Amino acid sequence: MARDDKTRCQTVVDKYVDFARKCGTRAQYRHSLEILLPGSGLYDYLEGRILHPSYTYTRIAEIVEADEKERINFEIGQRRTRIGAKIDQVTTDVKREVLHASDLETIYQNIIDWTDDDAARRLYEEKLLQHAYDTLLALPHSQKATKRQEVVRLAQGLVILKHPFALAWKTTLEWKDVERIEDLDAGVLREYVKLFPDDGLVKVLQGYLDCEMSVFSKPSPELDNEGEDGRQETPALTVEDRLILMTDGIGDNPTSVLALRIMGEYYLYLEEFESAAETARKAQSELANSSRASGLALTNISDAVGIILGTALVHYQAPRHHPEAISLFEGILARKATNSAALIGIGLVLEEREELDNAISFLERALLQQPSARIKAEAAWCKALGGDYQTGLSELEDCLPQVDASDTRNKTLKAQILYRIGMCLWNLDTSKSSRRDRNKAYARFISSLQADLNFAPAYTSLGVYYTDYAKDRSRGRKCFQKAFELSSFEVVAAERLAQSFAKTSEWDLVEVVAQRVVESGRLRPPPGSKKQGISWPFAALGVVQLNRLDYPKSIVSFQSALRISPKDYYSWVGLGESYHNSGRYIAATRAFEQAQKLEEEMSPRILGDTWFSKYMLANVKREVGEFDAAIAGYQEVLASRTKEYGVSMASLQTLIEAAWQNMELGFFGRAIDCVQEALKTAEDLVTWRNDAFNLWKSIGDLCSVYTYIQSYIAKFPVQAISGLLKHDIGSEAYALLTDYDQVDWAAFESSATSESLDSTLGCCCHAAILAYKRAISCCVNDALARAVAWYNLGWAEHRAHVCNSPGKASGKIDNEFRYLKAAVQCFKKAIELESGNAEFWNSLGIVTAQLNPKVAQHAFVRSLFINDKNARVWTNLGVFYLREGDSQLANDALVRAQSIDPDHAQAWLGQGLLAGQLGEHAEARNLFAHAFEIANASATQIQRSYACSSLDHLLSLPPASGSTTSILQPLLALRQLSKQTLADLPHDHIRSLLQERVGDFADASQTLSSVCAALEIDYETSESSETLARFANAKADLSRSQLAEEKFDSAAENADTALDLSGDNDGDSHTRQKTRLSAHLSAGLSNYYLGNIDGSIEMFRCALKESQEDPDLICLLSQVLWAKGGEAERSIASQQLFNCIEKHQGHIGTILLLGAISVLHDDQDIIEAVSDDLQGLRTRDDLSTQQQKLLAQLLKVIAILYPGDDTEAVARTSGATTAVMLEPSQPYGWSELSSLTDELNPSEMAVLTAIKKAPPRGGLDAEDLSEIYAGTQAGEDAQRSVMLAPWKPSGWHALSQVG
């Protein structure tokens, strides 16, 4: 019965489990399986009839694994879509929640406990460890300790069993916090190698365990030489193969801290410091990750990796990384004060910083912990570097026997000790005899190389020995090359090599040497170091780049050198030269000034010759236009180096450039002074260097300056120039182009003997031409220089054409274009030599415009094809089209020129000429004015056009409309023109008219006297009626100017001469009429002031007849008649004025004069008749400032004398207020009103309106403005009144009243 019950029970259980498996969930299926597990009532009852617990637990484990995997994936998918969620953090959080609550580890342990299958047991032991490890990674740091102990226990169990599960072995090896690698169990390491032959860590261990630096004992030959299958093991690896194997291992397993640590130590052993540092940094990163994952501090491993990194940084690109190395070592010593590696590292860093006492202290502390010949030798060397060579020598000699010579690893140490012994001997006795002794230092250097042929410092010392003492430069150079080839740290050898290469101009090799030293990283000392930086490699690179014209790079190199050595004089000079050549002149100036400060601070014996910096600073000043400073700098250099050709030539060219600049600025006297100084320099140069192209080009420029400043042509040094031209050469050098220009030595001598200014000008042109011809003969072998020389000669020929009127030089009209034809030939030859030069084509177009327009057009177009951004060429093309009558093309070309360069004055001049040709005279005048404003003082054509257009405009205005200020600029233009032209009579005459208008009567008279003298000479030669008419006109104008000067006798005489010469009806009748009218008026006024009233009246009557009774002349005649004093004359004068008013109603002068005469004659009837007209004048806009003043004074007098029914004060006040109401912008009404009242407002308004009427906005003169200021009764205004017109008593009176 019991058996049947068990059977039925088993059947029910099986059906239940099967039903749960098929129809239920995983949880239900798991629950159905759990009733079959030990501990349940059914298990004890049905034991033996149901599945073994191991199988049940296995099925439950599978269910739980699937559930956990599904839950993890689901939760990650849900949470990763949240705002701000990060996939890594989400994954960690989900695994922490799921794994921490999982009972899977318990299930695994039950499987392990119940199963009888060893393979299954090992499998679930692996799963248990993996699950525990995954849980450890997910847990927070505070909960890791317990779980970590469990993981370690599980891993060690698998390792003890030698089960090949990688996680267990890696956990055991990676988490063992050992101070040294040799503290690891060698057996475990070798067993791991056998179990996992393809693992990356295994490859590293294979390379390490059997290498020469490994401290692990090798297995016995019986056990290791022969494998289990009886095959022989592979032979020992070479260093190269071992390194490849270990590198592959790191590549296969880059996260293993143990592998990276071993690799770092091996790199240190091989002295591959860069790779060691890189590997140690990776190890630090992976160690941090491992510590975060396991929760272990792993302090010993961290310190070991830090020592590897610090030791590598001590040597890698030293001393760049020394601060970081010091920080690492100090952190280790804070935890382990006796760590010898850290002590040695700090000692080496301090040795590099030249803190030798501290370095010795650290090295001796390390020596106490780890007695070593290497450490002792380093400490001894520090003592030697500190100057105690004897102690260092004895201690180094004591170290030498301690070095095991049979060990190949010690050969470098032995070589180093022998080298340092040699250096101690070298510095103990610095005499030449001692250093030449081959049994002392030299022998130790040789012994050092015998110990290690690749020890670079010994080669450097031998190179110094051979070069400086054995006088064998070839062998010394080979030693330096070998030393630098072995080590880029041999800075002394590199410097010697760079110097030797620089002496032979092997700049590529200099660059190679300097660049390698720079890349070594040993140039800049670390912060806080006492060691001086090394700047010469950067300076050498700068010199190389300077020679290659790569100025931006040379600037960077010299700046780098100066950051290391701020007092490196030659680097400052190189930096300044680089700035100068790249166009950064302000920076260049500062660099050279800094170099000159160093000259004052440093000894001349150290610096050597310093003239070059002064010369370059002068060049910079020259480039920025500070020619005076530049010339002074050149002269300072020449004071000590009198025969320095480059400096002398630079001084000569700077003087010429200063002359051109002064000429453009209008300082013509200064320009001539510069030219005369340049002549002295040229006279000195030609005595010892007369075959230089630039010399003769400068002499030609020197002569050309006089042709542009013709007012100083009398100062042209004919004899000095003649002496220069005939110096050390025959006359055949000047025979070029004589068939065209007829200028040779004979022609020059002929023009030089004449004393006339015209001949002197011709002589000047000939001298310039001959100088440029001489320049051509000096550059026969240089095609580009010859092209420039022909170009210069062409412009000299063109200038000669401009300066010489037709036939002046030879008296033949046929030779009018001889200079121009010669210029054409010159520019053609220049183009043949350099056809791609746009300036040459432009010049050809200019000189052929008059001879052959088609060629000229082609030349301009060709120039623009080469360079279409040249505003001057577009301007020339526009003017060419203007000459040819094509206004549209001319406008297009000129507009293009203005768009390219808005400040090109000639383009505006061309537009003005075009506007004038089209009849737009106002537009032309504005364009000429703008051109004059932006042009320099040497633009003669602009000055002519501007002055003529301004005069035409003034003549078109009413007499009262002309402002003095509007005449000043045209007058300035003509004055500048007069300095640049020898005899420009029409424009000199115009200048005199403008001078007369501004009141400069003395200069006007002087100018007109010169014009009259020149016209008289011209008339005597040509007897032209036109010249005679111009002469009569000039005499009439001269008479008028002399009248203003109160030279009445001369004025009357010149007026009579003008009248006599203009008596004929030949020529322009309108001009003749104006000339005679002016002469009559001048003669009439002169006679009046001379007391010849009758003669004056007669002249005025003739003037009236000439002018057809002009009202202004009637006014003058009436004034003269009134001044005669007779009743008849006064009656006639009044009658003349009344008749004039009838014919010329509203004539201002007649009304004012009639009103004044009526007041003087006390004729109230006339006053009443004129008063309305006077009041009406107030509303007119055509009154000049002087007329407004006269009107105000006249009305004031009438109001005072004839107040009518009102009192005098009321009448004056009424008149003043009326004037203010009618003309509130005029100052006279306000001034009158302020004198009648104590209120401040009228006086303030008077001042404000007067200021607006003062020049340049009005014609109010200084006296009137002074009167108005005086009327305010204010202290400040009284001072202004005195300042404006100190000769007026009103200002002084007002000032005394205030005081």
Side-chain angles (χ1 to χ4, degrees):
M1 185 68 186
R3 181 178 302 173
D4 294 338
D5 291 339
K6 289 184 178 181
T7 302
R8 289 198 298 271
C9 181
Q10 178 183 358
T11 302
V12 171
V13 169
D14 290 341
K15 289 181 179 179
Y16 172 68
V17 172
D18 187 59
F19 179 78
R21 180 178 62 80
K22 293 180 179 179
C23 301
T25 62
R26 285 200 190 101
Q28 293 170 339
Y29 181 46
R30 176 183 175 182
H31 178 72
S32 67
L33 291 174
E34 286 177 348
I35 64 175
L36 304 178
L37 294 176
S40 69
L42 287 176
Y43 177 80
D44 294 336
Y45 182 70
L46 297 176
E47 184 177 6
R49 291 177 172 268
I50 58 176
L51 293 174
H52 192 272
S54 62
Y55 294 106
T56 305
Y57 278 119
T58 301
R59 291 180 182 178
I60 294 174
E62 292 172 352
I63 293 171
V64 174
E65 287 174 354
D67 284 343
E68 288 187 359
K69 183 178 181 181
E70 183 177 338
R71 182 183 174 190
I72 289 172
N73 292 335
F74 176 77
E75 290 294 332
I76 291 175
Q78 288 290 321
R79 298 185 188 184
R80 68 183 297 179
T81 59
R82 296 175 183 175
I83 296 176
K86 296 180 180 179
I87 185 63
D88 295 338
Q89 186 62 39
V90 168
T91 302
T92 302
D93 293 342
V94 170
K95 285 185 175 181
R96 181 185 304 120
E97 294 174 5
V98 174
L99 297 179
H100 185 62
S102 173
D103 58 351
L104 193 57
E105 294 181 17
T106 303
I107 296 172
Y108 286 155
Q109 187 62 51
N110 288 329
I111 294 173
I112 295 169
D113 293 342
W114 283 95
T115 185
D116 296 328
D117 186 357
D118 289 340
R121 183 178 290 109
R122 299 289 87 81
L123 173 63
Y124 282 96
E125 285 178 348
E126 292 178 6
K127 288 189 175 184
L128 176 61
L129 176 59
Q130 186 67 54
H131 193 279
Y133 182 79
D134 292 340
T135 305
L136 176 65
L137 297 182
L139 289 174
H141 183 77
S142 58
Q143 301 176 12
K144 285 181 181 289
T146 303
K147 180 60 70 174
R148 183 177 61 248
Q149 292 175 359
E150 180 182 349
V151 170
V152 170
R153 177 181 60 77
L154 292 172
Q156 288 178 344
L158 290 175
V159 169
I160 292 172
L161 294 174
K162 298 181 181 181
H163 179 66
F165 183 52
L167 178 61
W169 290 86
K170 288 184 178 180
T171 301
T172 302
L173 293 175
E174 298 283 356
W175 289 4
K176 189 171 288 296
D177 188 20
V178 294
E179 186 172 354
R180 297 173 299 174
I181 293 178
E182 51 264 34
D183 294 338
L184 293 171
D185 188 342
V188 173
L189 294 177
R190 296 188 183 277
E191 199 65 39
Y192 178 70
V193 170
K194 291 180 180 179
L195 291 174
F196 306 96
D198 297 328
D199 186 69
L201 177 58
V202 169
K203 293 180 181 180
V204 175
L205 289 173
Q206 283 177 337
Y208 174 75
L209 290 174
D210 298 330
C211 74
E212 58 272 20
M213 64 168 287
S214 175
V215 296
F216 294 111
S217 59
K218 296 183 181 181
S220 61
E222 295 81 5
L223 297 177
D224 194 61
N225 285 346
E226 189 171 326
E228 293 180 0
D229 55 358
R231 290 179 298 178
Q232 293 293 325
E233 292 289 336
T234 58
L237 295 172
T238 64
V239 174
E240 292 79 7
D241 293 338
R242 180 177 289 108
L243 188 59
I244 293 173
L245 178 65
M246 297 174 74
T247 305
D248 290 342
I250 293 294
D252 294 340
N253 191 358
T255 61
S256 171
V257 177
L258 178 60
L260 291 170
R261 177 181 177 182
I262 293 172
M263 196 70 197
E265 291 194 1
Y266 191 62
Y267 278 134
L268 281 184
Y269 174 76
L270 298 178
E271 297 185 356
E272 294 289 340
F273 300 114
E274 180 179 3
S275 299
E278 182 180 351
T279 304
R281 291 190 191 280
K282 292 179 182 178
Q284 283 185 326
S285 176
E286 296 301 330
L287 181 61
N289 295 335
S290 178
S291 296
R292 283 194 299 270
S294 65
L296 291 170
L298 302 176
T299 306
N300 290 328
I301 297 177
S302 177
D303 290 344
V305 173
I307 288 173
I308 294 171
L309 178 59
T311 305
L313 293 180
V314 168
H315 301 281
Y316 173 56
Q317 291 186 347
R320 178 185 296 179
H321 305 290
H322 282 181
E324 183 181 357
I326 285 286
S327 176
L328 289 169
F329 290 138
E330 287 177 346
I332 294 170
L333 289 176
R335 296 183 293 273
K336 302 172 183 177
T338 59
N339 189 287
S340 60
L343 292 170
I344 294 171
I346 294 179
L348 293 176
V349 172
L350 294 175
E351 177 186 342
E352 180 69 24
R353 291 184 178 182
E354 296 185 355
E355 299 179 23
L356 299 174
D357 292 338
N358 292 333
I360 293 170
S361 174
F362 276 93
L363 290 172
E364 288 180 345
R365 286 169 58 189
L367 191 61
L368 292 175
Q369 302 299 323
Q370 181 183 344
S372 167
R374 186 182 300 275
I375 302 175
K376 184 176 181 181
E378 204 65 47
W381 179 239
C382 289
K383 294 176 182 178
L385 292 177
D388 190 359
Y389 295 109
Q390 189 60 53
T391 303
L393 176 62
S394 60
E395 292 185 2
L396 285 169
E397 289 176 341
D398 292 341
C399 293
L400 194 58
Q402 301 176 20
V403 178
D404 184 6
S406 61
D407 190 348
T408 56
R409 294 180 294 178
N410 292 330
K411 64 177 184 178
T412 302
L413 176 60
K414 183 178 181 181
Q416 185 184 65
I417 294 174
L418 287 169
Y419 162 75
R420 290 176 174 179
I421 292 173
M423 291 304 299
C424 290
L425 294 172
W426 183 271
N427 290 303
L428 273 174
D429 189 354
T430 58
S431 63
K432 288 186 178 181
S433 59
S434 175
R435 290 188 171 181
R436 285 175 181 167
D437 191 348
R438 289 179 175 262
N439 295 320
K440 292 186 177 180
Y442 174 81
R444 302 309 188 278
F445 297 148
I446 295 296
S447 299
S448 174
L449 292 177
Q450 290 173 347
D452 184 0
L453 280 174
N454 294 323
F455 189 68
Y459 284 107
T460 300
S461 298
L462 283 175
V464 174
Y465 171 82
Y466 286 125
T467 302
D468 295 346
Y469 297 96
K471 305 303 179 184
D472 191 345
R473 295 184 180 275
S474 175
R475 184 174 292 181
R477 183 168 177 172
K478 291 179 181 178
C479 289
F480 290 137
Q481 288 176 336
K482 182 65 176 178
F484 190 61
E485 178 184 342
L486 290 171
S487 173
S488 60
F489 294 167
E490 292 304 306
V491 179
V492 174
E495 184 175 10
R496 294 290 189 110
L497 282 176
Q499 290 173 350
S500 65
F501 290 143
K503 290 178 181 178
T504 56
S505 298
E506 298 177 73
W507 300 114
D508 291 340
L509 296 177
V510 173
E511 181 183 25
V512 169
V513 172
Q515 188 63 45
R516 190 179 177 207
V517 176
V518 169
E519 292 172 355
S520 70
R522 296 183 66 89
L523 303 183
R524 293 184 176 89
S529 174
K530 296 180 181 179
K531 189 174 182 179
Q532 294 294 325
I534 302 170
S535 62
W536 70 261
F538 286 110
L541 285 175
V543 172
V544 172
Q545 291 150 358
L546 199 59
N547 279 278
R548 292 178 178 173
L549 309 183
D550 193 352
Y551 304 121
K553 289 185 179 179
S554 68
I555 289 172
V556 173
S557 296
F558 284 122
Q559 286 176 339
S560 300
L562 289 169
R563 291 190 189 100
I564 298 173
S565 300
K567 292 190 176 182
D568 186 352
Y569 170 79
Y570 291 102
S571 291
W572 281 111
V573 174
L575 179 62
E577 186 175 358
S578 300
Y579 278 137
H580 167 266
N581 293 338
S582 59
R584 299 169 63 179
Y585 301 118
I586 303 302
T589 301
R590 294 174 180 171
F592 286 125
E593 288 176 349
Q594 183 64 33
Q596 292 187 349
K597 288 182 181 179
L598 292 176
E599 292 177 13
E600 299 173 358
E601 298 173 2
M602 302 176 71
S603 170
R605 182 179 58 81
I606 298 175
L607 291 177
D609 205 346
T610 59
W611 67 271
F612 185 73
S613 65
K614 297 182 177 66
Y615 167 68
M616 287 303 301
L617 181 58
N619 285 341
V620 173
K621 297 294 185 183
R622 173 185 174 185
E623 293 291 346
V624 299
E626 298 180 16
F627 294 115
D628 293 339
I631 293 167
Y634 291 135
Q635 295 302 324
E636 184 180 359
V637 175
L638 290 172
S640 58
R641 301 180 69 88
T642 56
K643 298 298 182 182
E644 191 66 47
Y645 168 73
V647 181
S648 298
M649 182 53 64
S651 176
L652 174 60
Q653 292 174 328
T654 305
L655 286 166
I656 298 298
E657 290 171 8
W660 289 115
Q661 184 193 58
N662 285 321
M663 185 179 71
E664 291 175 354
L665 295 175
F667 302 133
F668 302 112
R670 294 183 186 177
I672 294 301
D673 292 340
C674 290
V675 167
Q676 291 175 345
E677 187 65 30
L679 179 61
K680 296 178 182 178
T681 305
E683 288 176 331
D684 177 63
L685 260 174
V686 79
T687 58
W688 51 278
R689 183 71 180 272
N690 59 7
D691 58 346
F693 163 75
N694 286 330
L695 170 62
W696 295 105
K697 190 262 183 188
S698 299
I699 294 174
D701 292 344
L702 180 154
C703 298
S704 297
V705 170
Y706 282 95
T707 67
Y708 287 93
I709 313 176
Q710 297 177 11
S711 59
Y712 290 88
I713 198 67
K715 293 186 176 181
F716 181 65
V718 176
Q719 298 302 322
I721 295 296
S722 176
L724 286 175
L725 292 174
K726 68 182 180 181
H727 189 278
D728 195 24
I729 195 169
S731 59
E732 64 276 0
Y734 303 121
L736 288 172
L737 299 179
T738 52
D739 293 339
Y740 292 94
D741 60 11
Q742 301 175 13
V743 177
D744 55 10
W745 183 253
F748 170 74
E749 287 186 327
S750 176
S751 60
T753 56
S754 177
E755 296 182 358
S756 67
L757 293 181
D758 285 340
S759 297
T760 305
L761 179 59
C763 176
C764 186
C765 293
H766 290 171
I769 291 172
L770 293 179
Y772 289 129
K773 288 182 177 180
R774 180 75 175 268
I776 294 174
S777 67
C778 294
C779 55
V780 178
N781 298 322
D782 189 342
L784 293 179
R786 273 192 296 130
V788 174
W790 281 109
Y791 173 76
N792 294 335
L793 179 58
W795 278 118
E797 299 281 4
H798 179 266
R799 185 60 187 167
H801 170 75
V802 172
C803 292
N804 288 271
S805 58
K808 182 181 292 186
S810 62
K812 297 179 181 180
I813 301 299
D814 295 340
N815 291 329
E816 176 182 352
F817 298 110
R818 59 194 178 100
Y819 295 115
L820 208 56
K821 292 177 181 179
V824 171
Q825 297 303 315
C826 291
F827 291 132
K828 284 183 178 179
K829 289 183 179 295
I831 291 171
E832 288 175 4
L833 293 168
E834 189 179 351
S835 60
N837 193 309
E839 292 297 330
F840 294 175
W841 286 102
N842 175 50
S843 303
L844 180 62
I846 292 172
V847 298
T848 55
Q850 193 173 358
L851 298 174
N852 192 332
K854 291 184 179 180
V855 173
Q857 183 182 22
H858 170 74
F860 287 135
V861 171
R862 182 66 180 174
S863 177
L864 291 173
F865 175 78
I866 298 172
N867 179 16
D868 62 348
K869 301 298 183 183
N870 194 325
R872 290 187 294 110
V873 183
W874 282 108
T875 302
N876 294 335
L877 182 61
V879 174
F880 170 78
Y881 286 136
L882 188 61
R883 283 173 54 92
E884 297 301 316
D886 195 331
S887 302
Q888 183 59 45
L889 288 177
N891 181 68
D892 293 343
L894 292 170
V895 169
R896 182 68 178 271
Q898 289 171 320
S899 65
I900 292 174
D901 185 4
D903 292 331
H904 186 53
Q906 277 68 24
W908 295 94
L909 171 64
Q911 287 283 23
L913 294 174
L914 178 60
Q917 193 177 76
L918 297 175
E920 300 174 1
H921 299 295
E923 179 68 15
R925 184 180 66 258
N926 292 333
L927 290 168
F928 291 144
H930 181 69
F932 177 74
E933 289 173 358
I934 64 177
N936 55 54
S938 62
T940 55
Q941 186 56 48
I942 293 176
Q943 294 161 356
R944 291 188 180 99
S945 300
Y946 175 53
C948 291
S949 65
S950 298
L951 181 62
D952 292 340
H953 176 63
L954 289 172
L955 294 176
S956 66
L957 296 176
S961 302
S963 173
T964 301
T965 54
S966 64
I967 306 174
L968 294 178
Q969 278 196 321
L971 182 57
L972 172 62
L974 290 172
R975 282 181 175 172
Q976 291 177 345
L977 180 64
S978 67
K979 296 292 185 181
Q980 300 175 75
T981 55
L982 192 58
D984 194 347
L985 299 182
H987 293 92
D988 286 345
H989 197 162
I990 294 174
R991 176 162 57 93
S992 69
L993 297 179
L994 296 180
Q995 288 171 334
E996 183 182 359
R997 287 218 173 200
V998 299
D1000 191 1
F1001 303 113
D1003 285 347
S1005 298
Q1006 183 180 357
T1007 303
L1008 285 168
S1009 297
S1010 302
V1011 171
C1012 290
L1015 288 172
E1016 185 175 3
I1017 296 173
D1018 189 13
Y1019 180 72
E1020 290 175 357
T1021 305
S1022 63
E1023 296 184 358
S1024 168
S1025 58
E1026 182 183 352
T1027 303
L1028 183 61
R1030 291 170 59 193
F1031 180 67
N1033 191 13
K1035 280 291 185 180
D1037 292 340
L1038 176 59
S1039 172
R1040 189 171 60 250
S1041 297
Q1042 290 173 337
L1043 174 64
E1045 285 188 279
E1046 299 182 2
K1047 296 179 180 180
F1048 304 120
D1049 291 330
S1050 300
E1053 180 182 352
N1054 286 313
D1056 291 339
T1057 303
L1059 290 171
D1060 292 340
L1061 296 174
S1062 60
D1064 298 334
N1065 291 327
D1066 298 337
D1068 187 356
S1069 60
H1070 182 68
T1071 303
R1072 174 181 170 277
Q1073 181 183 358
K1074 285 189 174 183
T1075 300
R1076 291 185 63 79
L1077 179 59
S1078 175
H1080 278 120
L1081 291 175
S1082 298
L1085 291 172
S1086 298
N1087 285 320
Y1088 170 76
Y1089 288 113
L1090 289 172
N1092 184 7
I1093 304 299
D1094 294 334
S1096 174
I1097 293 172
E1098 181 64 27
M1099 287 295 176
F1100 283 129
R1101 285 175 176 170
C1102 293
L1104 282 174
K1105 184 178 179 181
E1106 292 277 354
S1107 66
Q1108 300 177 355
E1109 297 186 355
D1110 184 271
D1112 291 328
L1113 293 180
I1114 293 174
C1115 292
L1116 284 175
L1117 178 59
S1118 300
Q1119 288 175 326
V1120 173
L1121 290 172
W1122 183 268
K1124 190 173 183 181
E1127 289 297 329
E1129 287 81 0
R1130 293 183 177 182
S1131 176
I1132 293 171
S1134 299
Q1135 188 62 39
Q1136 289 283 344
L1137 291 174
F1138 279 115
N1139 293 337
C1140 182
I1141 288 179
E1142 291 178 1
K1143 294 181 181 180
H1144 305 281
Q1145 294 183 0
H1147 186 260
I1148 298 172
T1150 305
I1151 296 172
L1152 291 174
L1153 185 57
L1154 189 58
I1157 289 175
S1158 63
V1159 170
L1160 292 174
H1161 204 262
D1162 195 17
D1163 189 339
Q1164 295 189 13
D1165 294 335
I1166 299 176
I1167 291 173
E1168 291 177 1
V1170 176
S1171 293
D1172 292 338
D1173 291 334
L1174 290 174
Q1175 294 294 339
L1177 290 179
R1178 288 181 168 183
T1179 61
R1180 293 179 59 171
D1181 296 330
D1182 56 345
L1183 270 69
S1184 67
T1185 303
Q1186 190 65 23
Q1187 289 172 338
Q1188 290 173 353
K1189 178 181 177 182
L1190 292 174
L1191 177 61
Q1193 291 176 345
L1194 184 57
L1195 289 173
K1196 176 181 176 182
V1197 170
I1198 291 174
I1200 294 173
L1201 296 178
Y1202 309 101
D1205 297 335
D1206 299 324
T1207 62
E1208 176 185 339
V1210 173
R1212 291 180 62 189
T1213 303
S1214 176
T1217 54
T1218 302
V1220 169
M1221 292 298 294
L1222 292 174
E1223 290 288 345
S1225 62
Q1226 296 296 331
Y1228 301 108
W1230 292 106
S1231 179
E1232 178 66 14
L1233 189 61
S1234 69
S1235 66
L1236 299 174
T1237 179
D1238 294 333
E1239 295 182 7
L1240 294 176
N1241 185 60
S1243 60
E1244 293 176 353
M1245 289 302 300
V1247 171
L1248 291 175
T1249 54
I1251 291 174
K1252 293 181 179 180
K1253 292 297 179 180
R1257 289 174 288 183
L1260 192 69
D1261 59 19
E1263 291 185 356
D1264 293 338
L1265 187 58
S1266 175
E1267 289 281 355
I1268 293 171
Y1269 270 122
T1272 64
Q1273 301 300 320
E1276 295 179 356
D1277 290 338
Q1279 292 176 343
R1280 292 189 179 97
S1281 175
V1282 171
M1283 182 190 70
L1284 286 169
W1287 60 88
K1288 294 285 289 184
S1290 56
W1292 295 104
H1293 178 70
L1295 189 62
S1296 66
Q1297 293 295 324
V1298 174

